[in-house]
């Protein structure tokens, strides 16, 4: 059942171009509407905290974190609209650059106030940008949704210092400032800590980092197949031929 999450048929979908929907106020691009339909949602969602939480939960249920395309030698580009088209067509996403890049397009289309943040997983020196994160401001409060942490956040969290409990996992946000924060993963997680910076990486910055991460022999995502999915009670991880539930 776990392997069924990974689909080959939709890894490389032809782009169809975004067309506006004129009969659904407020109008969203056609690709966004198809993405929301995949999640079982209508296109006229309000940009609220409740919507943000629901979107993340449904996305994680439907679309796993994976490096399958890279392991097949055909890493998907990180262009956010291409990634969204792939997901909307029923295919795979990829890793954080793909998931969160596509999610930014969706959130902006729905009227959310979204900013990019540059993330760096501690202990992984190259590239300096190895995580793309989003920051959403709603009624003056800063929220961090993240679809690209694999076994990380189940729901968006407010960027305030303190402990976070989600299912069996204990997280912590520390060192919160105007220019960033640090996320400390559960001890059972796949990484230790993640630093966020105020820098807003451009698409070209993400593309450059993606090339480093997906080019053999040094690219981190070229060594072993990894597929992860987070749910309410934990996370499933397939690493190579080893399956683990945490």
């Amino acid at each position: 059942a776990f392997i069924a999450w990974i689909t080959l048929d939709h890894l490389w979908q032809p782009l169809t171009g975004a067309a506006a929907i004129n009969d659904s106020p407020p109008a969203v691009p056609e690709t966004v509407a198809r993405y929301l339909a995949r999640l079982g949602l209508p296109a006229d969602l309000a940009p609220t905290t409740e919507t943000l939480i629901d979107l993340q939960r449904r996305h994680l249920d439907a679309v796993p974190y994976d490096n399958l395309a890279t392991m097949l030698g055909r890493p998907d580009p990180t262009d956010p609209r291409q990634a969204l088209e792939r997901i909307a067509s029923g295919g795979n996403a990829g890793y954080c650059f793909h998931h969160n890049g596509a999610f930014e397009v969706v959130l902006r289309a729905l009227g959310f106030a979204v900013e990019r943040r540059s993330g760096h997983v501690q202990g992984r020196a190259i590239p300096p940008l190895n995580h793309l994160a989003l920051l959403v401001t709603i009624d003056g409060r800063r929220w961090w949704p993240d679809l690209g942490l694999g076994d990380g956040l189940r729901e968006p969290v407010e960027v305030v210092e303190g402990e976070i409990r989600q299912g069996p996992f204990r997280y912590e946000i520390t060192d919160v400032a105007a220019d960033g924060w640090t996320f400390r993963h559960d001890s059972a997680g796949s990484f230790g800590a993640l630093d966020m910076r105020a820098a807003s990486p451009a698409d070209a910055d993400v593309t450059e980092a993606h090339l480093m991460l997906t080019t053999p022999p040094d690219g981190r995502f070229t060594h072993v197949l990894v597929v992860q999915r987070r749910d309410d009670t934990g996370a499933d991880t397939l690493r190579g031929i080893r399956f683990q539930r945490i």
Side-chain angles (χ1 to χ4, degrees):
F2 185 83
I3 295 296
W5 299 347
I6 315 173
T7 60
L8 292 172
D9 294 342
H10 301 286
L11 273 174
W12 304 286
Q13 292 289 332
L15 300 183
T16 60
I21 295 176
N22 295 319
D23 58 353
S24 177
V28 297
E30 181 265 348
T31 309
V32 173
R34 288 192 289 113
Y35 166 83
L36 294 172
R38 179 175 178 181
L39 302 190
L41 292 169
D44 58 347
L45 299 173
T48 64
T49 304
E50 292 75 18
T51 295
L52 186 66
I53 292 171
D54 194 30
L55 282 169
Q56 173 156 335
R57 291 177 59 86
R58 287 173 182 260
H59 180 105
L60 293 179
D61 287 343
V63 190
Y65 174 104
D66 75 271
N67 69 337
L68 177 60
T70 297
M71 292 302 296
L72 291 173
R74 298 183 60 179
D76 289 309
T78 56
D79 178 270
R81 286 167 179 77
Q82 292 187 38
L84 180 59
E85 171 64 33
R86 212 166 45 247
I87 301 168
S89 298
N92 295 43
Y95 64 100
C96 64
F97 290 167
H98 307 94
H99 283 271
N100 290 335
F103 200 46
E104 179 187 10
V105 176
V106 173
L107 294 178
R108 290 189 185 281
L110 293 174
F112 284 94
V114 188
E115 303 170 59
R116 284 186 176 188
R117 287 293 183 265
S118 174
H120 182 81
V121 177
Q122 294 182 8
R124 302 177 186 175
I126 299 175
L129 169 65
N130 58 29
H131 187 72
L132 174 64
L134 304 175
L135 183 66
V136 178
T137 301
I138 303 173
D139 296 330
R141 298 168 66 183
R142 301 191 303 166
W143 293 88
W144 171 32
D146 208 310
L147 311 180
L149 289 176
D151 59 3
L153 297 176
R154 173 61 171 162
E155 297 181 351
V157 294
E158 189 172 2
V159 182
V160 294
E161 292 194 8
E163 180 182 295
I164 301 163
R165 293 276 183 175
Q166 291 187 348
F169 296 128
R170 177 194 176 277
Y171 311 126
E172 187 177 8
I173 290 181
T174 64
D175 306 311
V176 173
D179 61 351
W181 67 92
T182 294
F183 170 75
R184 303 190 184 281
H185 202 340
D186 188 270
S187 59
S190 59
F191 61 92
L194 174 65
D195 295 321
M196 299 298 186
R197 306 184 185 93
S200 179
D203 286 346
D205 300 324
V206 175
T207 298
E208 181 181 359
H210 175 60
L211 184 63
M212 297 178 69
L213 289 166
T214 58
T215 300
D218 299 323
R220 183 174 184 84
F221 293 131
T222 67
H223 300 157
V224 63
L225 173 67
V226 177
V227 185
Q228 295 176 303
R229 186 169 67 174
R230 177 75 159 87
D231 57 34
D232 286 337
T233 61
D236 290 329
T237 297
L238 178 67
R239 193 176 302 275
I241 62 172
R242 180 171 180 254
F243 172 78
Q244 182 181 20
R245 173 73 179 176
I246 59 173

